[in-house]
Amino acid sequence: LANRARIVKQFRAHASSVFRHPSVPTVRSFGGTAQMALPMKAGTVLKFLDFVKDKEPPVVLPREEYPSWVGDLATPQISLAALRRIPNEEAEDHDIRRYLKLSRRLQIRDSNAQASV
């Protein structure tokens, strides 16, 4: 399970550059400088997903060969600040779950910071 979580994390880290629609520019910020994330070309070998013994690493396919939902993996999720602005009546289930997850994470971070002082 831990190995699967690591693989999913690596996949999502690279998903924005692999599965981004070519007409939609994606900007990432690294240390205050913005850089464009470029999509990988079809045929690129994904060495970071080479975890199965005696098999070749996967290769990026042409964009048309992926299901439509794959493009949604690179969509940034809504922030805690934006979730706080949504009225309770208008919030959907996935928004509520994300709000609870992020608020719990913030509580844990705060309690750990206070414990280290």
Side-chain angles (χ1 to χ4, degrees):
L1 188 62
N3 191 26
R4 183 175 187 271
R6 180 182 55 80
I7 292 167
V8 169
K9 185 176 181 180
Q10 286 177 340
F11 175 79
R12 286 189 177 159
H14 295 284
S16 63
S17 61
V18 176
F19 301 111
R20 185 182 61 79
H21 191 276
S23 66
V24 180
T26 303
V27 177
R28 289 185 182 167
S29 179
F30 296 105
T33 61
Q35 297 178 350
M36 294 299 288
L38 301 174
M40 290 186 180
K41 293 182 181 180
T44 304
V45 178
L46 301 174
K47 295 179 183 176
F48 60 90
L49 288 177
D50 185 19
F51 60 91
V52 180
K53 265 188 178 178
D54 301 328
K55 281 203 171 183
E56 295 293 319
V59 177
V60 176
L61 301 173
R63 176 87 176 153
E64 307 82 45
E65 293 190 35
Y66 290 102
S68 60
W69 59 265
V70 173
D72 295 339
L73 294 174
T75 307
Q77 294 185 340
I78 192 165
S79 68
L80 180 59
L83 288 168
R84 286 181 174 157
R85 289 191 298 263
I86 298 174
N88 289 342
E89 301 82 29
E90 296 176 17
E92 297 179 19
D93 288 342
H94 62 88
D95 294 332
I96 295 169
R97 283 192 304 270
R98 178 143 176 89
Y99 173 79
L100 292 172
K101 175 183 177 180
L102 294 177
S103 60
R104 278 189 228 114
R105 186 180 292 170
L106 185 63
Q107 264 184 330
I108 292 168
R109 195 174 295 142
D110 289 344
S111 65
N112 287 343
Q114 287 179 358
S116 66
V117 175

